[in-house]
Amino acid sequence: MTATVPIGEFSRLSYLSVKALRYYHEIELLAPASVDPSTGYRFYSTDQVEQAHLIRRLRELNMPVPEIKAVLSAPDRAARDAALRAHLERMEAELTRTRDVVASLRALLLPPSDKPLRVEYRSVASYPALSVAEVVAREVIGEWCDASFATLYRSLEAGGIQPGGPGGATYALEFFEHDRGEVVAFVPIAPADRDRAGAFGTVVDLPARRFAVAVHNGPFTDFDLSYGALGSHVAEHDTALAEPVRELYLAGPGDVAEADYITEICWPIGRL
């Protein structure tokens, strides 16, 4: 059995202020069950209490009003729950990022470490790789890399081709200068597999280079610290080439502790 109550009583039932309820009516988020035509008083059904509670929680999670409307207008509970799960996953990812940034900031407040940066010098011959190249904005680089490497490894599997080493990516100078630039995701292949791999995607030859190499081992939020340390070392001891930095992904969050990465950062310092 349901009942109809005035807006003040519904405010108590829903924990939403009268001001909020009026606003939600104005923006067509939560309309009253009825409005008295002579007085303009709003009345709500007790059937709307659950909906009001849902709106309150979603607003506390900073879900935009258009997305809340989409949740409320979902054709069935399964569609509604799917939209809610997607938002919760985005919130959880943001919480993880926030925790990582806080931990990184705390680390910056500690006295500088006396442990010297370990830099290895490496000469690398040219080698072929299956690749995906695109101009990418920095803000979506994580999602782009995930999608690109999923495509590359599926293509290699479809062709029965074994990777010739760890996957990686190159980042053009514009990516750092303008927060947007060409990124090339790649997976090395054996020279003998070049023609077969070409049937499943674009094969490129990564150029022979000499690199100063350092390993980043930690969360993604600390990548800038590793870049700063290695780039400073190169500036102080070598001559950097104005060419893309090459990263090799030895392990990601799925392989090691949550949110940790093991990445070789390869700073180009000379041609072979």
Side-chain angles (χ1 to χ4, degrees):
M1 177 180 175
T2 62
T4 302
V5 297
I7 190 170
E9 182 66 8
F10 192 72
S11 175
R12 288 206 297 178
L13 298 177
S14 64
Y15 252 68
L16 290 170
S17 70
V18 168
K19 180 180 179 181
L21 289 169
R22 287 173 178 161
Y23 173 66
Y24 292 156
H25 182 198
E26 290 172 5
I27 63 174
E28 301 180 345
L29 185 60
L30 180 62
S34 64
V35 180
D36 188 298
S38 58
T39 64
Y41 291 166
R42 298 170 173 88
F43 295 88
Y44 293 81
S45 167
T46 51
D47 281 344
Q48 294 178 284
V49 171
E50 181 183 358
Q51 190 177 53
H53 288 166
L54 178 60
I55 291 171
R56 182 170 176 271
R57 281 162 174 74
L58 295 179
R59 290 301 294 150
E60 287 177 347
L61 290 175
N62 296 319
M63 178 180 274
V65 168
E67 290 188 27
I68 296 178
K69 287 183 177 181
V71 168
L72 298 179
S73 63
D76 51 47
R77 191 178 186 90
R80 187 201 75 171
D81 290 351
L84 289 175
R85 278 195 296 271
H87 185 71
L88 288 174
E89 288 170 1
R90 289 194 295 271
M91 290 293 297
E92 288 166 353
E94 181 64 20
L95 284 173
T96 297
R97 190 192 71 82
T98 299
R99 283 195 296 267
D100 288 343
V101 171
V102 169
S104 182
L105 182 57
R106 288 189 186 280
L108 286 176
L109 298 175
L110 297 174
S113 173
D114 293 330
K115 185 178 179 180
L117 176 72
R118 182 177 177 182
V119 178
E120 171 191 340
Y121 288 90
R122 186 183 304 167
S123 294
V124 179
S126 175
Y127 59 87
L130 191 65
S131 68
V132 174
E134 192 173 340
V135 174
V136 185
R138 188 194 293 265
E139 63 206 31
V140 297
I141 188 61
E143 295 91 335
W144 184 85
C145 282
D146 288 344
S148 297
F149 283 110
T151 297
L152 290 171
Y153 284 110
R154 278 199 304 268
S155 297
L156 291 177
E157 184 178 3
I161 302 169
Q162 290 295 319
T170 65
Y171 295 84
L173 288 174
E174 291 77 13
F175 181 82
F176 304 100
E177 294 174 349
H178 307 298
D179 283 334
R180 181 181 180 87
E182 185 179 62
V183 181
V184 180
F186 64 85
V187 178
I189 58 173
D193 292 326
R194 177 191 297 275
D195 292 340
R196 261 198 307 162
F200 295 92
T202 301
V203 175
V204 297
D205 287 304
L206 293 171
R209 288 292 180 269
R210 180 167 170 77
F211 295 105
V213 182
V215 175
H216 171 84
N217 190 343
F220 181 76
T221 48
D222 283 349
F223 253 98
D224 59 337
L225 304 183
S226 297
Y227 260 74
L230 178 58
S232 296
H233 176 92
V234 169
E236 293 165 4
H237 298 90
D238 300 287
T239 301
L241 297 181
E243 294 186 358
V245 170
R246 192 179 301 182
E247 294 181 359
L248 298 178
Y249 305 126
L250 308 185
D255 306 308
V256 292
E258 183 178 357
D260 279 354
Y261 292 77
I262 301 177
T263 301
E264 285 188 342
I265 303 172
C266 307
W267 213 278
I269 58 173
R271 296 177 174 83
L272 296 185

